[in-house]
Amino acid sequence: MQIFRIVLFPFAVLYDLVTRLRNYFYDKGYFKSTSYPVPVICVGNLSVGGTGKSPMIAYLVSLLSSTNDVVVLSRGYGRKTKGYIEVEVSSTSKEVGDEPLQIKKNYPNVRVVVCEDRRTAIEKLKFKADVILMDDGFQHRKVKPTFNIILSAFGSLFSADYLLPTGNLRESKKGAARAGMIVVTKCPPRVPYATLQQIEYDLKLQVHQKIFFTTIGYEANLIGSFETLPLDYLKQKKFTLVTGIAKPAPLVQFLKEKKFNFTHKNYPDHHEFSDAEISEFKKEELLITTEKDFMRLQPRLGKFALFYLPIKTQFLNNRSPIFDERIREVVENFKRAE
């Protein structure tokens, strides 16, 4: 791995130069970054994938949608279409992407939009929403969000990472200064306070930034197309776990801790399952998957015994009220300023 990093280092230096110049031109106003008459909260990261943006977007939707007309804006990664599309419950993952479809199915009354050009989308939405949640738009500098939240996964913090292609960083670590909040995701349920302090030190927070730590919470039921089963149903069953996400390790560890009997078929993030793979899945007695993968697998498996285990964002040290207050404050302060 060290030799691999050394070989790719010159390309990382070039990539760093290009991204730094780009950010400099935006910061100095040579490139235009547009603000809008609606609060735009961006959830993004410095790393490529696997930080838990979808659960955080879902958390924010739950937090804000009862008192605001919330719109979720996503690029729609992995879709086979182009341009601006409003997601419907009846949409397919090929049309809109698995993550936007997941949000729409969970929150059918919330408008979800996909568009690769976020500026074009916000122009259409700016008078139709109280709040826009922009998914994975931290590097989309054409838009100037009201507030940036960046996520970094526990165990693979951006502070210890390297720029592409040597590492997984999309831009320099200094880019984190644009965020008002940093959330360390996928923490173990119990982390020593000294460890949290060390992480906060390593991330070198700015004066204006706050940090939060979250873990993955798992629901008590398995969800299928036609029925819901208690998680304990798996105690007496042998099943196959199918994952096509960036970092399935927390889910695998959770199921192992439950002492369930399963085999794991792991695929790359946003994997497009082939006909041959679908045929193999149909030979299994029971399949468990992630909610994101369920959006792609269920239409092709039909009435097959396929279930997913829902997840949710949980804050460590009971700090969710502080997080919630800060987000509501961002929205309310924007409205008062207008």
Side-chain angles (χ1 to χ4, degrees):
M1 177 60 75
Q2 188 63 31
I3 294 176
F4 185 67
R5 290 189 189 279
I6 293 173
V7 171
L8 292 179
F9 182 73
F11 298 98
V13 172
L14 179 60
Y15 182 83
D16 185 27
L17 176 62
V18 172
T19 55
R20 281 178 187 265
L21 281 174
R22 177 178 181 269
N23 282 330
Y24 175 82
F25 289 146
Y26 273 112
D27 293 340
K28 296 299 182 180
Y30 300 124
F31 291 168
K32 185 179 180 181
S33 186
T34 307
S35 299
Y36 295 92
V38 58
V40 178
I41 298 176
C42 172
V43 177
N45 51 27
L46 294 185
S47 304
V48 178
T51 56
K53 293 186 297 295
S54 293
M56 178 55 66
I57 288 289
Y59 184 94
L60 292 170
V61 170
S62 295
L63 173 66
L64 296 171
S65 60
S66 62
T67 54
N68 297 276
D69 183 3
V70 174
V71 175
V72 176
L73 172 58
S74 171
R75 178 177 57 164
Y77 185 85
R79 64 186 174 124
K80 304 302 181 184
T81 57
K82 298 290 184 182
Y84 179 97
I85 299 176
E86 293 208 16
V87 182
E88 303 292 343
V89 174
S90 59
S91 298
T92 67
S93 60
K94 287 187 176 182
E95 292 171 337
V96 299
D98 44 29
E99 291 164 342
L101 182 59
Q102 174 184 328
I103 293 292
K104 184 63 180 181
K105 286 183 178 290
N106 287 335
Y107 302 93
N109 294 324
V110 170
R111 180 178 292 171
V112 181
V113 169
V114 295
C115 187
E116 55 272 25
D117 187 335
R118 312 304 206 286
R119 191 160 58 181
T120 296
I122 296 175
E123 284 293 337
K124 292 177 179 288
L125 295 167
K126 62 185 179 183
F127 300 119
K128 301 178 182 179
D130 295 328
V131 183
I132 294 175
L133 300 177
M134 187 166 65
D135 180 18
D136 196 20
F138 191 64
Q139 284 75 35
H140 199 86
R141 298 295 307 272
K142 291 181 180 180
V143 172
K144 187 176 182 180
T146 310
F147 193 72
N148 277 304
I149 303 171
I150 58 172
L151 313 182
S152 190
F154 183 91
S156 56
L157 299 172
F158 66 76
S159 57
D161 206 345
Y162 302 88
L163 280 160
L164 290 166
T166 302
N168 295 309
L169 293 184
R170 297 171 169 179
E171 62 175 293
S172 167
K173 301 165 192 177
K174 292 184 178 181
R178 300 198 305 276
M181 187 182 290
I182 296 175
V183 181
V184 179
T185 61
K186 302 186 178 182
C187 297
R190 290 171 292 278
V191 184
Y193 183 67
T195 301
L196 300 183
Q197 283 187 310
Q198 184 62 49
I199 290 173
E200 187 169 345
Y201 175 79
D202 291 341
L203 292 178
K204 296 179 172 56
L205 268 65
Q206 305 291 310
V207 174
H208 68 280
Q209 293 178 321
K210 293 187 179 297
I211 188 170
F212 294 88
F213 298 87
T214 66
T215 187
I216 297 173
Y218 294 94
E219 301 286 0
N221 293 312
L222 298 165
I223 310 297
S225 298
F226 306 102
E227 62 180 332
T228 299
L229 298 172
L231 182 60
D232 286 348
Y233 173 80
L234 298 179
K235 285 184 176 180
Q236 308 302 323
K237 293 284 185 179
K238 182 176 181 181
F239 63 91
T240 298
L241 173 68
V242 177
T243 59
I245 59 176
K247 295 178 181 177
L251 174 58
V252 173
Q253 182 62 31
F254 174 78
L255 296 175
K256 285 182 176 179
E257 289 175 355
K258 291 287 185 181
K259 301 188 184 304
F260 292 150
N261 182 13
F262 67 97
T263 57
H264 181 202
K265 293 186 177 182
N266 188 27
Y267 301 89
D269 196 18
H270 296 281
H271 178 67
E272 186 173 342
F273 296 100
S274 67
D275 291 340
E277 288 164 344
I278 295 296
S279 296
E280 287 299 313
F281 295 157
K282 289 181 178 180
K283 297 176 183 177
E284 305 288 346
E285 181 180 351
L286 175 63
L287 291 179
I288 305 299
T289 191
T290 68
E291 187 171 3
K292 187 168 76 170
D293 292 314
F294 186 87
M295 298 299 141
R296 282 173 286 135
L297 287 171
Q298 191 278 329
R300 301 180 66 187
L301 288 171
K303 296 182 179 180
F304 187 80
L306 173 70
F307 295 84
Y308 69 87
L309 180 59
I311 64 174
K312 57 186 176 181
T313 293
Q314 295 180 329
F315 286 80
L316 299 189
N317 302 324
N318 299 313
R319 295 198 72 207
S320 58
I322 302 172
F323 177 91
D324 295 357
E325 181 182 5
R326 180 68 185 109
I327 297 301
R328 291 194 184 102
E329 184 181 76
V330 168
V331 175
E332 293 306 314
N333 285 348
F334 184 95
K335 291 179 179 179
R336 282 196 291 268
E338 286 293 300

